[in-house]
Amino acid sequence: MAVLQWTTDYFQDKGVSEPRASAEVLLAHVLNLSRLDLYLRYDQPLTPDELARFKALVLRRRAGEPTAYLTGRKEFWSLDFLVSPAVLIPRPETETLIASVLEVFSLKTEDSRPRTGMPWGLEIGVGSGAIVITLARELPQTRWVGVDISGPALAVARENARRHGVEARINFLRADLLAALKPEPRFALLVANLPYVPRPVFEELHKDIKEYEPREALLGGEDGLDLIRPLIRAASGILHPGGWLALEVADGQAAKVAALLKETGEYEEIEKIRDYLGIERVIRARKRD
Ligand SMILES: C[S@@+](CC[C@H](N)C(=O)[O-])C[C@H]1O[C@@H](n2cnc3c(N)ncnc32)[C@H](O)[C@@H]1O
């Protein structure tokens, strides 16, 4: 399709990141097609209305607005999630967190099951809900609490949970970290992808991220650990013995976070798990029995 090539060249010329993918996603969105279908109907001309809508999106993308906010959706773990500027756009490296939880939890659910009923999981910082919803779907025998400090983010997460048919198994709660939860060992699993970008790195982020994605979803203070540190201090109080903790971290933070967990004396099997780029991305640990 000529318009696709033209747009790719235009984005490239203007320094837009991922020029081809951006052009394909935006055109597919306007035509209500999949990216693959674009190539199957490549010679069909755009109507004036389609062209006008496409041009408007191209200009916004050129200014830096992320493709996922322009289309209002992002794929994660092969599921379609609604996103808005109130939430972080789910990242492919976060799939490492999902895989690392499934690796231990689906096999060892028996170990960490409370005496009665389904095991409970907890996610702190749900954003779009990508993590908690994916895990609720993958682990149908679990119930969840999903916490975020942002009301608008929780509204997006609730809608995604409804669309993916897991709303009955997730209680969403607006709170600061674990402040609203009783310090009782109720949870078999605690996962979090908290804001972890150190301030100096945040200042240098590409403008597509820094100017468009929520700052409260990214910035983790001077060294990036302002939220992870208090979460680790409080986590063992809500995990039951044998329960699992999995935290996503930034490149270069894994050793520090593993050391923080070790210092508590509460965990064993503390492991660093690499993402598809080879970066140590997830710290997983098990609370001692
Ligand atoms: C990096 S985003 C992760 C979003 C989503 N879980 C994901 O992986 O795509 C971090 C989330 O933590 C939330 N958050 C920030 N500070 C928080 C706090 N003190 N308590 C609870 N949630 C917080 C933000 O609103 C944001 O939605």
Side-chain angles (χ1 to χ4, degrees), residues 17-92:
S17 57
E18 301 183 339
R20 181 84 192 177
S22 296
E24 284 177 2
V25 170
L26 293 180
L27 189 58
H29 175 69
V30 165
L31 299 179
N32 207 11
L33 295 171
S34 71
R35 277 167 79 183
L36 181 65
D37 286 339
L38 272 186
Y39 290 92
L40 302 177
R41 59 159 274 186
Y42 70 96
D43 47 1
Q44 209 165 311
L46 269 65
T47 66
D49 173 61
E50 288 168 343
L51 194 58
R53 284 189 293 128
F54 181 59
K55 273 187 180 164
L57 293 178
V58 166
L59 291 177
R60 286 169 65 185
R61 179 72 196 104
R62 188 220 146 154
E65 209 166 331
T67 311
Y69 291 153
L70 293 172
T71 62
R73 25 189 22 118
K74 179 73 183 175
E75 188 182 298
F76 178 81
W77 200 260
S78 302
L79 297 169
D80 181 43
F81 285 93
L82 296 181
V83 294
S84 82
V87 301
L88 185 96
I89 300 165
R91 302 297 204 268

Side-chain angles (χ1 to χ4, degrees), residues 258-278:
L260 288 172
L261 282 167
K262 200 160 175 221
E263 275 166 27
T264 67
E266 301 269 10
Y267 296 92
E268 56 192 10
E269 298 180 50
I270 303 171
E271 276 183 74
K272 307 182 194 94
I273 296 153
R274 292 178 191 273
D275 67 14
Y276 62 98
L277 294 172

